[in-house]
């Protein structure tokens, strides 16, 4: 069961073909930011709060998580679809509420 943030990060990194170190870095390349947004969506659906998600992704605080979850990024619907695809592939992640 994907209950911890490290397991979700691992699954997203495999899906996006990036390393965990890259995902947790401060770099802002589009593919890394997209993967972080997918992590935020999945972690939030599993039940982590924004502060916990921010800490697990090495953010300064929860506001970046809030931005990822708000849908204000231009490709948010694409990231939501990718998160839904991962949900369907990993039945052990709870469905969205």
């Amino acid at each position: 069961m994907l209950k911890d943030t490290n397991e979700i990060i691992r699954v997203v990194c495999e899906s996006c073909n990036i390393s965990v170190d890259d995902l947790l870095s401060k770099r802002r390349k589009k593919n890394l930011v997209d993967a972080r947004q997918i992590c935020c969506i999945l972690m939030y659906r599993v039940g982590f709060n924004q502060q916990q998600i921010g800490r697990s992704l090495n953010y300064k605080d929860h506001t970046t998580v809030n931005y990822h979850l708000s849908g204000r990024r231009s490709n948010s619907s694409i990231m939501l679809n990718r998160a839904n695809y991962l949900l369907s592939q990993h039945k052990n992640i709870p469905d969205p509420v």
Side-chain angles (χ1 to χ4, degrees), residues 53-66:
I53 297 168
R55 279 193 297 270
S56 69
L57 294 174
N58 294 334
Y59 291 151
K60 246 191 287 191
D61 56 36
H62 71 284
T63 57
T64 304
V65 176
N66 188 38

Side-chain angles (χ1 to χ4, degrees), residues 12 16 18 23 30-39 79:
V12 171
C16 296
I18 61 174
L23 182 90
K30 183 181 181 328
N31 65 323
L32 300 178
V33 174
D34 290 348
R36 289 181 197 125
Q37 183 173 13
I38 293 169
C39 282
M79 295 304 103

Side-chain angles (χ1 to χ4, degrees), residues 45-79:
R45 287 185 177 175
V46 169
F48 293 100
N49 65 41
Q50 292 183 14
Q51 288 81 11
Q52 292 168 320
I53 297 168
R55 279 193 297 270
S56 69
L57 294 174
N58 294 334
Y59 291 151
K60 246 191 287 191
D61 56 36
H62 71 284
T63 57
T64 304
V65 176
N66 188 38
Y67 181 72
H68 283 311
L69 296 174
S70 72
R72 287 183 270 167
R73 287 189 65 218
S74 61
N75 64 345
S76 288
S77 62
I78 295 168
M79 295 304 103

